[in-house]
PDB file of all heavy atoms in Angstrom:
ATOM      1  N   HIS S 271       7.483 -14.549  -7.486  1.00  0.00           N
ATOM      2  CA  HIS S 271       6.176 -14.083  -8.060  1.00  0.00           C
ATOM      3  C   HIS S 271       5.901 -14.760  -9.392  1.00  0.00           C
ATOM      4  O   HIS S 271       6.816 -15.187 -10.032  1.00  0.00           O
ATOM      5  CB  HIS S 271       6.353 -12.544  -8.468  1.00  0.00           C
ATOM      6  CG  HIS S 271       6.668 -11.670  -7.226  1.00  0.00           C
ATOM      7  ND1 HIS S 271       5.744 -11.259  -6.207  1.00  0.00           N
ATOM      8  CD2 HIS S 271       7.891 -11.187  -6.820  1.00  0.00           C
ATOM      9  CE1 HIS S 271       6.420 -10.587  -5.316  1.00  0.00           C
ATOM     10  NE2 HIS S 271       7.721 -10.531  -5.619  1.00  0.00           N
ATOM     11  N   VAL S 272       4.629 -14.903  -9.643  1.00  0.00           N
ATOM     12  CA  VAL S 272       4.234 -15.530 -10.905  1.00  0.00           C
ATOM     13  C   VAL S 272       3.350 -14.483 -11.579  1.00  0.00           C
ATOM     14  O   VAL S 272       2.437 -13.911 -11.061  1.00  0.00           O
ATOM     15  CB  VAL S 272       3.233 -16.841 -10.615  1.00  0.00           C
ATOM     16  CG1 VAL S 272       2.703 -17.325 -11.998  1.00  0.00           C
ATOM     17  CG2 VAL S 272       4.154 -17.865 -10.063  1.00  0.00           C
ATOM     18  N   ALA S 273       3.751 -14.197 -12.890  1.00  0.00           N
ATOM     19  CA  ALA S 273       3.068 -13.261 -13.734  1.00  0.00           C
ATOM     20  C   ALA S 273       2.230 -13.994 -14.761  1.00  0.00           C
ATOM     21  O   ALA S 273       2.479 -15.176 -14.948  1.00  0.00           O
ATOM     22  CB  ALA S 273       4.066 -12.301 -14.412  1.00  0.00           C
ATOM     23  N   PRO S 274       1.357 -13.366 -15.351  1.00  0.00           N
ATOM     24  CA  PRO S 274       0.624 -13.956 -16.566  1.00  0.00           C
ATOM     25  C   PRO S 274       1.657 -14.506 -17.532  1.00  0.00           C
ATOM     26  O   PRO S 274       2.725 -13.839 -17.710  1.00  0.00           O
ATOM     27  CB  PRO S 274      -0.266 -12.879 -17.116  1.00  0.00           C
ATOM     28  CG  PRO S 274      -0.441 -11.920 -15.964  1.00  0.00           C
ATOM     29  CD  PRO S 274       0.804 -12.006 -15.183  1.00  0.00           C
ATOM     30  N   ALA S 275       1.312 -15.529 -18.305  1.00  0.00           N
ATOM     31  CA  ALA S 275       2.197 -16.015 -19.357  1.00  0.00           C
ATOM     32  C   ALA S 275       2.602 -14.948 -20.270  1.00  0.00           C
ATOM     33  O   ALA S 275       1.869 -14.110 -20.734  1.00  0.00           O
ATOM     34  CB  ALA S 275       1.533 -17.178 -20.104  1.00  0.00           C
ATOM     35  N   GLY S 276       3.912 -14.839 -20.476  1.00  0.00           N
ATOM     36  CA  GLY S 276       4.538 -13.789 -21.298  1.00  0.00           C
ATOM     37  C   GLY S 276       4.767 -12.466 -20.549  1.00  0.00           C
ATOM     38  O   GLY S 276       5.309 -11.504 -21.241  1.00  0.00           O
ATOM     39  N   GLY S 277       4.449 -12.429 -19.336  1.00  0.00           N
ATOM     40  CA  GLY S 277       4.513 -11.162 -18.598  1.00  0.00           C
ATOM     41  C   GLY S 277       5.667 -11.101 -17.615  1.00  0.00           C
ATOM     42  O   GLY S 277       5.754 -10.182 -16.808  1.00  0.00           O
ATOM     43  N   ALA S 278       6.549 -12.144 -17.509  1.00  0.00           N
ATOM     44  CA  ALA S 278       7.514 -12.266 -16.553  1.00  0.00           C
ATOM     45  C   ALA S 278       8.515 -11.098 -16.562  1.00  0.00           C
ATOM     46  O   ALA S 278       8.865 -10.459 -15.587  1.00  0.00           O
ATOM     47  CB  ALA S 278       8.320 -13.557 -16.645  1.00  0.00           C
ATOM     48  N   LEU S 279       8.961 -10.685 -17.778  1.00  0.00           N
ATOM     49  CA  LEU S 279       9.956  -9.608 -17.869  1.00  0.00           C
ATOM     50  C   LEU S 279       9.279  -8.309 -17.437  1.00  0.00           C
ATOM     51  O   LEU S 279       9.972  -7.502 -16.684  1.00  0.00           O
ATOM     52  CB  LEU S 279      10.473  -9.404 -19.359  1.00  0.00           C
ATOM     53  CG  LEU S 279      11.396  -8.261 -19.630  1.00  0.00           C
ATOM     54  CD1 LEU S 279      12.702  -8.342 -18.695  1.00  0.00           C
ATOM     55  CD2 LEU S 279      11.836  -8.212 -21.075  1.00  0.00           C
ATOM     56  N   GLU S 280       8.085  -8.000 -17.813  1.00  0.00           N
ATOM     57  CA  GLU S 280       7.456  -6.770 -17.353  1.00  0.00           C
ATOM     58  C   GLU S 280       7.242  -6.799 -15.789  1.00  0.00           C
ATOM     59  O   GLU S 280       7.452  -5.702 -15.209  1.00  0.00           O
ATOM     60  CB  GLU S 280       6.122  -6.590 -18.092  1.00  0.00           C
ATOM     61  CG  GLU S 280       5.529  -5.156 -17.925  1.00  0.00           C
ATOM     62  CD  GLU S 280       6.445  -4.043 -18.287  1.00  0.00           C
ATOM     63  OE1 GLU S 280       7.187  -4.153 -19.300  1.00  0.00           O
ATOM     64  OE2 GLU S 280       6.641  -3.057 -17.479  1.00  0.00           O
ATOM     65  N   ALA S 281       6.891  -7.894 -15.302  1.00  0.00           N
ATOM     66  CA  ALA S 281       6.734  -8.039 -13.861  1.00  0.00           C
ATOM     67  C   ALA S 281       8.099  -7.825 -13.114  1.00  0.00           C
ATOM     68  O   ALA S 281       8.136  -7.161 -12.080  1.00  0.00           O
ATOM     69  CB  ALA S 281       6.107  -9.359 -13.421  1.00  0.00           C
ATOM     70  N   ALA S 282       9.149  -8.398 -13.654  1.00  0.00           N
ATOM     71  CA  ALA S 282      10.420  -8.296 -13.160  1.00  0.00           C
ATOM     72  C   ALA S 282      10.894  -6.768 -13.169  1.00  0.00           C
ATOM     73  O   ALA S 282      11.512  -6.198 -12.233  1.00  0.00           O
ATOM     74  CB  ALA S 282      11.470  -9.139 -13.870  1.00  0.00           C
ATOM     75  N   LEU S 283      10.588  -6.130 -14.405  1.00  0.00           N
ATOM     76  CA  LEU S 283      10.916  -4.700 -14.420  1.00  0.00           C
ATOM     77  C   LEU S 283      10.067  -3.855 -13.408  1.00  0.00           C
ATOM     78  O   LEU S 283      10.603  -2.914 -12.829  1.00  0.00           O
ATOM     79  CB  LEU S 283      10.661  -4.231 -15.810  1.00  0.00           C
ATOM     80  CG  LEU S 283      11.727  -4.626 -16.939  1.00  0.00           C
ATOM     81  CD1 LEU S 283      11.241  -4.305 -18.280  1.00  0.00           C
ATOM     82  CD2 LEU S 283      13.068  -3.972 -16.586  1.00  0.00           C
ATOM     83  N   GLY S 284       8.871  -4.307 -13.262  1.00  0.00           N
ATOM     84  CA  GLY S 284       8.043  -3.611 -12.199  1.00  0.00           C
ATOM     85  C   GLY S 284       8.610  -3.664 -10.810  1.00  0.00           C
ATOM     86  O   GLY S 284       8.665  -2.694 -10.027  1.00  0.00           O
ATOM     87  N   LEU S 285       9.188  -4.834 -10.535  1.00  0.00           N
ATOM     88  CA  LEU S 285       9.782  -5.078  -9.157  1.00  0.00           C
ATOM     89  C   LEU S 285      11.114  -4.249  -9.090  1.00  0.00           C
ATOM     90  O   LEU S 285      11.395  -3.657  -8.094  1.00  0.00           O
ATOM     91  CB  LEU S 285      10.071  -6.562  -9.010  1.00  0.00           C
ATOM     92  CG  LEU S 285      10.674  -7.004  -7.664  1.00  0.00           C
ATOM     93  CD1 LEU S 285       9.908  -6.530  -6.519  1.00  0.00           C
ATOM     94  CD2 LEU S 285      10.856  -8.548  -7.655  1.00  0.00           C
ATOM     95  N   ALA S 286      11.841  -4.247 -10.227  1.00  0.00           N
ATOM     96  CA  ALA S 286      13.053  -3.420 -10.245  1.00  0.00           C
ATOM     97  C   ALA S 286      12.828  -1.980 -10.139  1.00  0.00           C
ATOM     98  O   ALA S 286      13.579  -1.263  -9.400  1.00  0.00           O
ATOM     99  CB  ALA S 286      13.840  -3.798 -11.618  1.00  0.00           C
ATOM    100  N   ARG S 287      11.687  -1.553 -10.750  1.00  0.00           N
ATOM    101  CA  ARG S 287      11.346  -0.135 -10.557  1.00  0.00           C
ATOM    102  C   ARG S 287      10.998   0.240  -9.162  1.00  0.00           C
ATOM    103  O   ARG S 287      11.152   1.352  -8.740  1.00  0.00           O
ATOM    104  CB  ARG S 287      10.348   0.289 -11.538  1.00  0.00           C
ATOM    105  CG  ARG S 287      10.799   0.230 -13.022  1.00  0.00           C
ATOM    106  CD  ARG S 287       9.666   0.597 -13.995  1.00  0.00           C
ATOM    107  NE  ARG S 287      10.129   0.498 -15.337  1.00  0.00           N
ATOM    108  CZ  ARG S 287       9.713  -0.325 -16.368  1.00  0.00           C
ATOM    109  NH1 ARG S 287       8.638  -1.089 -15.998  1.00  0.00           N
ATOM    110  NH2 ARG S 287      10.170  -0.307 -17.507  1.00  0.00           N
ATOM    111  N   GLU S 288      10.475  -0.752  -8.418  1.00  0.00           N
ATOM    112  CA  GLU S 288      10.096  -0.487  -6.979  1.00  0.00           C
ATOM    113  C   GLU S 288      11.349  -0.366  -6.149  1.00  0.00           C
ATOM    114  O   GLU S 288      11.318   0.326  -5.163  1.00  0.00           O
ATOM    115  CB  GLU S 288       9.227  -1.662  -6.467  1.00  0.00           C
ATOM    116  CG  GLU S 288       8.598  -1.379  -5.139  1.00  0.00           C
ATOM    117  CD  GLU S 288       7.660  -2.517  -4.755  1.00  0.00           C
ATOM    118  OE1 GLU S 288       7.276  -3.333  -5.669  1.00  0.00           O
ATOM    119  OE2 GLU S 288       7.267  -2.561  -3.591  1.00  0.00           O
ATOM    120  N   ILE S 289      12.419  -1.084  -6.599  1.00  0.00           N
ATOM    121  CA  ILE S 289      13.664  -0.996  -5.853  1.00  0.00           C
ATOM    122  C   ILE S 289      14.477   0.128  -6.198  1.00  0.00           C
ATOM    123  O   ILE S 289      15.288   0.741  -5.441  1.00  0.00           O
ATOM    124  CB  ILE S 289      14.520  -2.356  -6.143  1.00  0.00           C
ATOM    125  CG1 ILE S 289      13.774  -3.643  -5.682  1.00  0.00           C
ATOM    126  CG2 ILE S 289      15.885  -2.336  -5.567  1.00  0.00           C
ATOM    127  CD1 ILE S 289      14.282  -4.838  -6.138  1.00  0.00           C
ATOM    128  N   LEU S 290      14.463   0.611  -7.504  1.00  0.00           N
ATOM    129  CA  LEU S 290      15.317   1.561  -8.044  1.00  0.00           C
ATOM    130  C   LEU S 290      15.462   2.890  -7.292  1.00  0.00           C
ATOM    131  O   LEU S 290      16.588   3.450  -7.196  1.00  0.00           O
ATOM    132  CB  LEU S 290      14.928   1.876  -9.541  1.00  0.00           C
ATOM    133  CG  LEU S 290      15.815   2.744 -10.377  1.00  0.00           C
ATOM    134  CD1 LEU S 290      17.230   2.144 -10.523  1.00  0.00           C
ATOM    135  CD2 LEU S 290      15.189   3.034 -11.678  1.00  0.00           C
ATOM    136  N   PRO S 291      14.415   3.413  -6.698  1.00  0.00           N
ATOM    137  CA  PRO S 291      14.505   4.781  -6.096  1.00  0.00           C
ATOM    138  C   PRO S 291      15.378   4.609  -4.773  1.00  0.00           C
ATOM    139  O   PRO S 291      15.755   5.703  -4.175  1.00  0.00           O
ATOM    140  CB  PRO S 291      13.071   5.108  -5.700  1.00  0.00           C
ATOM    141  CG  PRO S 291      12.217   4.309  -6.534  1.00  0.00           C
ATOM    142  CD  PRO S 291      13.005   3.032  -6.767  1.00  0.00           C
ATOM    143  N   ASN S 292      15.611   3.532  -4.186  1.00  0.00           N
ATOM    144  CA  ASN S 292      16.265   3.327  -2.961  1.00  0.00           C
ATOM    145  C   ASN S 292      17.857   3.564  -3.069  1.00  0.00           C
ATOM    146  O   ASN S 292      18.351   3.450  -4.213  1.00  0.00           O
ATOM    147  CB  ASN S 292      15.996   1.986  -2.293  1.00  0.00           C
ATOM    148  CG  ASN S 292      14.499   1.879  -2.004  1.00  0.00           C
ATOM    149  OD1 ASN S 292      13.798   2.875  -1.726  1.00  0.00           O
ATOM    150  ND2 ASN S 292      14.039   0.606  -2.175  1.00  0.00           N
ATOM    151  N   GLY S 293      18.543   3.787  -1.936  1.00  0.00           N
ATOM    152  CA  GLY S 293      19.896   4.155  -2.053  1.00  0.00           C
ATOM    153  C   GLY S 293      20.861   3.000  -2.633  1.00  0.00           C
ATOM    154  O   GLY S 293      20.780   1.908  -2.090  1.00  0.00           O
ATOM    155  N   PRO S 294      21.587   3.238  -3.697  1.00  0.00           N
ATOM    156  CA  PRO S 294      22.408   2.211  -4.280  1.00  0.00           C
ATOM    157  C   PRO S 294      23.391   1.606  -3.326  1.00  0.00           C
ATOM    158  O   PRO S 294      23.583   0.379  -3.338  1.00  0.00           O
ATOM    159  CB  PRO S 294      23.017   2.972  -5.485  1.00  0.00           C
ATOM    160  CG  PRO S 294      22.277   4.138  -5.745  1.00  0.00           C
ATOM    161  CD  PRO S 294      21.609   4.552  -4.418  1.00  0.00           C
ATOM    162  N   VAL S 295      24.077   2.428  -2.587  1.00  0.00           N
ATOM    163  CA  VAL S 295      25.086   1.885  -1.659  1.00  0.00           C
ATOM    164  C   VAL S 295      24.404   1.023  -0.564  1.00  0.00           C
ATOM    165  O   VAL S 295      24.858  -0.054  -0.153  1.00  0.00           O
ATOM    166  CB  VAL S 295      25.860   3.035  -0.982  1.00  0.00           C
ATOM    167  CG1 VAL S 295      26.904   2.397   0.004  1.00  0.00           C
ATOM    168  CG2 VAL S 295      26.636   3.835  -2.048  1.00  0.00           C
ATOM    169  N   ALA S 296      23.138   1.511  -0.127  1.00  0.00           N
ATOM    170  CA  ALA S 296      22.403   0.696   0.867  1.00  0.00           C
ATOM    171  C   ALA S 296      22.006  -0.594   0.326  1.00  0.00           C
ATOM    172  O   ALA S 296      22.012  -1.576   1.051  1.00  0.00           O
ATOM    173  CB  ALA S 296      21.285   1.587   1.270  1.00  0.00           C
ATOM    174  N   LEU S 297      21.557  -0.638  -0.941  1.00  0.00           N
ATOM    175  CA  LEU S 297      21.105  -1.851  -1.598  1.00  0.00           C
ATOM    176  C   LEU S 297      22.262  -2.812  -1.664  1.00  0.00           C
ATOM    177  O   LEU S 297      22.117  -4.043  -1.382  1.00  0.00           O
ATOM    178  CB  LEU S 297      20.540  -1.662  -2.929  1.00  0.00           C
ATOM    179  CG  LEU S 297      19.188  -0.849  -3.043  1.00  0.00           C
ATOM    180  CD1 LEU S 297      18.882  -0.463  -4.458  1.00  0.00           C
ATOM    181  CD2 LEU S 297      18.119  -1.783  -2.406  1.00  0.00           C
ATOM    182  N   ARG S 298      23.480  -2.319  -2.049  1.00  0.00           N
ATOM    183  CA  ARG S 298      24.619  -3.198  -2.109  1.00  0.00           C
ATOM    184  C   ARG S 298      25.016  -3.817  -0.791  1.00  0.00           C
ATOM    185  O   ARG S 298      25.341  -4.965  -0.639  1.00  0.00           O
ATOM    186  CB  ARG S 298      25.756  -2.450  -2.781  1.00  0.00           C
ATOM    187  CG  ARG S 298      25.562  -2.160  -4.240  1.00  0.00           C
ATOM    188  CD  ARG S 298      26.587  -1.299  -4.906  1.00  0.00           C
ATOM    189  NE  ARG S 298      26.305  -1.014  -6.332  1.00  0.00           N
ATOM    190  CZ  ARG S 298      27.165  -1.157  -7.281  1.00  0.00           C
ATOM    191  NH1 ARG S 298      28.419  -1.460  -7.032  1.00  0.00           N
ATOM    192  NH2 ARG S 298      26.875  -0.870  -8.572  1.00  0.00           N
ATOM    193  N   MET S 299      24.977  -2.906   0.223  1.00  0.00           N
ATOM    194  CA  MET S 299      25.363  -3.357   1.530  1.00  0.00           C
ATOM    195  C   MET S 299      24.370  -4.321   2.107  1.00  0.00           C
ATOM    196  O   MET S 299      24.683  -5.284   2.804  1.00  0.00           O
ATOM    197  CB  MET S 299      25.635  -2.165   2.471  1.00  0.00           C
ATOM    198  CG  MET S 299      26.791  -1.378   2.206  1.00  0.00           C
ATOM    199  SD  MET S 299      28.391  -2.363   2.372  1.00  0.00           S
ATOM    200  CE  MET S 299      28.722  -2.657   0.604  1.00  0.00           C
ATOM    201  N   ALA S 300      23.050  -4.095   1.863  1.00  0.00           N
ATOM    202  CA  ALA S 300      21.998  -4.914   2.306  1.00  0.00           C
ATOM    203  C   ALA S 300      22.168  -6.330   1.703  1.00  0.00           C
ATOM    204  O   ALA S 300      22.074  -7.404   2.404  1.00  0.00           O
ATOM    205  CB  ALA S 300      20.646  -4.388   2.023  1.00  0.00           C
ATOM    206  N   LYS S 301      22.441  -6.385   0.439  1.00  0.00           N
ATOM    207  CA  LYS S 301      22.591  -7.642  -0.241  1.00  0.00           C
ATOM    208  C   LYS S 301      23.790  -8.396   0.321  1.00  0.00           C
ATOM    209  O   LYS S 301      23.707  -9.638   0.612  1.00  0.00           O
ATOM    210  CB  LYS S 301      22.871  -7.417  -1.702  1.00  0.00           C
ATOM    211  CG  LYS S 301      23.176  -8.694  -2.534  1.00  0.00           C
ATOM    212  CD  LYS S 301      23.216  -8.542  -4.032  1.00  0.00           C
ATOM    213  CE  LYS S 301      23.684  -9.846  -4.712  1.00  0.00           C
ATOM    214  NZ  LYS S 301      23.531  -9.723  -6.243  1.00  0.00           N
ATOM    215  N   LEU S 302      24.903  -7.661   0.524  1.00  0.00           N
ATOM    216  CA  LEU S 302      26.072  -8.306   1.059  1.00  0.00           C
ATOM    217  C   LEU S 302      25.855  -8.843   2.478  1.00  0.00           C
ATOM    218  O   LEU S 302      26.250  -9.986   2.761  1.00  0.00           O
ATOM    219  CB  LEU S 302      27.260  -7.315   1.070  1.00  0.00           C
ATOM    220  CG  LEU S 302      28.600  -7.841   1.455  1.00  0.00           C
ATOM    221  CD1 LEU S 302      29.166  -8.878   0.582  1.00  0.00           C
ATOM    222  CD2 LEU S 302      29.636  -6.615   1.604  1.00  0.00           C
ATOM    223  N   ALA S 303      25.087  -8.063   3.293  1.00  0.00           N
ATOM    224  CA  ALA S 303      24.927  -8.463   4.605  1.00  0.00           C
ATOM    225  C   ALA S 303      24.038  -9.726   4.704  1.00  0.00           C
ATOM    226  O   ALA S 303      24.309 -10.668   5.515  1.00  0.00           O
ATOM    227  CB  ALA S 303      24.230  -7.376   5.487  1.00  0.00           C
ATOM    228  N   VAL S 304      22.976  -9.789   3.908  1.00  0.00           N
ATOM    229  CA  VAL S 304      22.166 -11.017   3.794  1.00  0.00           C
ATOM    230  C   VAL S 304      22.972 -12.212   3.336  1.00  0.00           C
ATOM    231  O   VAL S 304      22.971 -13.297   3.931  1.00  0.00           O
ATOM    232  CB  VAL S 304      20.881 -10.755   2.966  1.00  0.00           C
ATOM    233  CG1 VAL S 304      20.177 -11.982   2.757  1.00  0.00           C
ATOM    234  CG2 VAL S 304      20.041  -9.666   3.616  1.00  0.00           C
ATOM    235  N   ASN S 305      23.585 -12.059   2.237  1.00  0.00           N
ATOM    236  CA  ASN S 305      24.273 -13.179   1.608  1.00  0.00           C
ATOM    237  C   ASN S 305      25.392 -13.840   2.489  1.00  0.00           C
ATOM    238  O   ASN S 305      25.492 -15.047   2.603  1.00  0.00           O
ATOM    239  CB  ASN S 305      24.854 -12.790   0.184  1.00  0.00           C
ATOM    240  CG  ASN S 305      23.790 -12.722  -0.816  1.00  0.00           C
ATOM    241  OD1 ASN S 305      22.652 -12.942  -0.612  1.00  0.00           O
ATOM    242  ND2 ASN S 305      24.164 -12.396  -2.085  1.00  0.00           N
ATOM    243  N   ARG S 306      26.222 -12.944   2.952  1.00  0.00           N
ATOM    244  CA  ARG S 306      27.333 -13.451   3.857  1.00  0.00           C
ATOM    245  C   ARG S 306      26.815 -13.855   5.155  1.00  0.00           C
ATOM    246  O   ARG S 306      27.328 -14.853   5.768  1.00  0.00           O
ATOM    247  CB  ARG S 306      28.347 -12.339   4.048  1.00  0.00           C
ATOM    248  CG  ARG S 306      29.083 -11.946   2.739  1.00  0.00           C
ATOM    249  CD  ARG S 306      29.975 -13.023   2.246  1.00  0.00           C
ATOM    250  NE  ARG S 306      30.577 -12.696   0.943  1.00  0.00           N
ATOM    251  CZ  ARG S 306      31.667 -11.836   0.753  1.00  0.00           C
ATOM    252  NH1 ARG S 306      32.269 -11.412   1.866  1.00  0.00           N
ATOM    253  NH2 ARG S 306      32.059 -11.595  -0.444  1.00  0.00           N
ATOM    254  N   GLY S 307      25.839 -13.182   5.661  1.00  0.00           N
ATOM    255  CA  GLY S 307      25.281 -13.503   7.036  1.00  0.00           C
ATOM    256  C   GLY S 307      24.622 -14.844   7.160  1.00  0.00           C
ATOM    257  O   GLY S 307      24.604 -15.531   8.159  1.00  0.00           O
ATOM    258  N   LEU S 308      24.062 -15.316   6.013  1.00  0.00           N
ATOM    259  CA  LEU S 308      23.467 -16.644   5.918  1.00  0.00           C
ATOM    260  C   LEU S 308      24.407 -17.907   6.297  1.00  0.00           C
ATOM    261  O   LEU S 308      23.992 -18.889   6.729  1.00  0.00           O
ATOM    262  CB  LEU S 308      22.861 -16.930   4.514  1.00  0.00           C
ATOM    263  CG  LEU S 308      21.606 -16.200   4.210  1.00  0.00           C
ATOM    264  CD1 LEU S 308      21.281 -16.450   2.770  1.00  0.00           C
ATOM    265  CD2 LEU S 308      20.460 -16.659   5.057  1.00  0.00           C
ATOM    266  N   ASP S 309      25.685 -17.581   6.033  1.00  0.00           N
ATOM    267  CA  ASP S 309      26.695 -18.654   6.309  1.00  0.00           C
ATOM    268  C   ASP S 309      27.411 -18.503   7.645  1.00  0.00           C
ATOM    269  O   ASP S 309      28.380 -19.228   7.961  1.00  0.00           O
ATOM    270  CB  ASP S 309      27.785 -18.667   5.087  1.00  0.00           C
ATOM    271  CG  ASP S 309      27.195 -18.972   3.802  1.00  0.00           C
ATOM    272  OD1 ASP S 309      26.254 -19.925   3.840  1.00  0.00           O
ATOM    273  OD2 ASP S 309      27.519 -18.540   2.754  1.00  0.00           O
ATOM    274  N   LEU S 310      26.909 -17.563   8.443  1.00  0.00           N
ATOM    275  CA  LEU S 310      27.514 -17.263   9.730  1.00  0.00           C
ATOM    276  C   LEU S 310      26.608 -17.694  10.892  1.00  0.00           C
ATOM    277  O   LEU S 310      25.345 -17.677  10.694  1.00  0.00           O
ATOM    278  CB  LEU S 310      27.907 -15.764   9.829  1.00  0.00           C
ATOM    279  CG  LEU S 310      28.888 -15.296   8.737  1.00  0.00           C
ATOM    280  CD1 LEU S 310      29.058 -13.743   8.909  1.00  0.00           C
ATOM    281  CD2 LEU S 310      30.273 -15.990   8.873  1.00  0.00           C
ATOM    282  N   ASP S 311      27.164 -17.830  12.078  1.00  0.00           N
ATOM    283  CA  ASP S 311      26.261 -17.918  13.274  1.00  0.00           C
ATOM    284  C   ASP S 311      25.631 -16.540  13.602  1.00  0.00           C
ATOM    285  O   ASP S 311      26.093 -15.547  12.987  1.00  0.00           O
ATOM    286  CB  ASP S 311      27.101 -18.495  14.454  1.00  0.00           C
ATOM    287  CG  ASP S 311      28.223 -17.588  14.867  1.00  0.00           C
ATOM    288  OD1 ASP S 311      27.925 -16.571  15.549  1.00  0.00           O
ATOM    289  OD2 ASP S 311      29.341 -17.811  14.505  1.00  0.00           O
TER     290      ASP S 311
END
């Protein structure tokens, strides 16, 4: 994403706030599945 100059942190926090309500364990497992899966058939 590209934010207005000087607005990157606020835009990143906005994205983080969009993620924050979701299940913490699910987020961790989703990240692990994507990252490790990229190197597998």
Side-chain angles (χ1 to χ4, degrees):
H271 301 280
V272 174
L279 178 57
E280 192 53 44
L283 285 171
L285 182 57
R287 291 179 181 120
E288 191 175 346
I289 297 169
L290 186 61
N292 299 327
V295 179
L297 289 171
R298 291 176 180 227
M299 288 300 102
K301 174 173 175 173
L302 184 62
V304 172
N305 283 0
R306 295 289 175 84
L308 284 172
D309 295 324
L310 301 173
D311 62 79

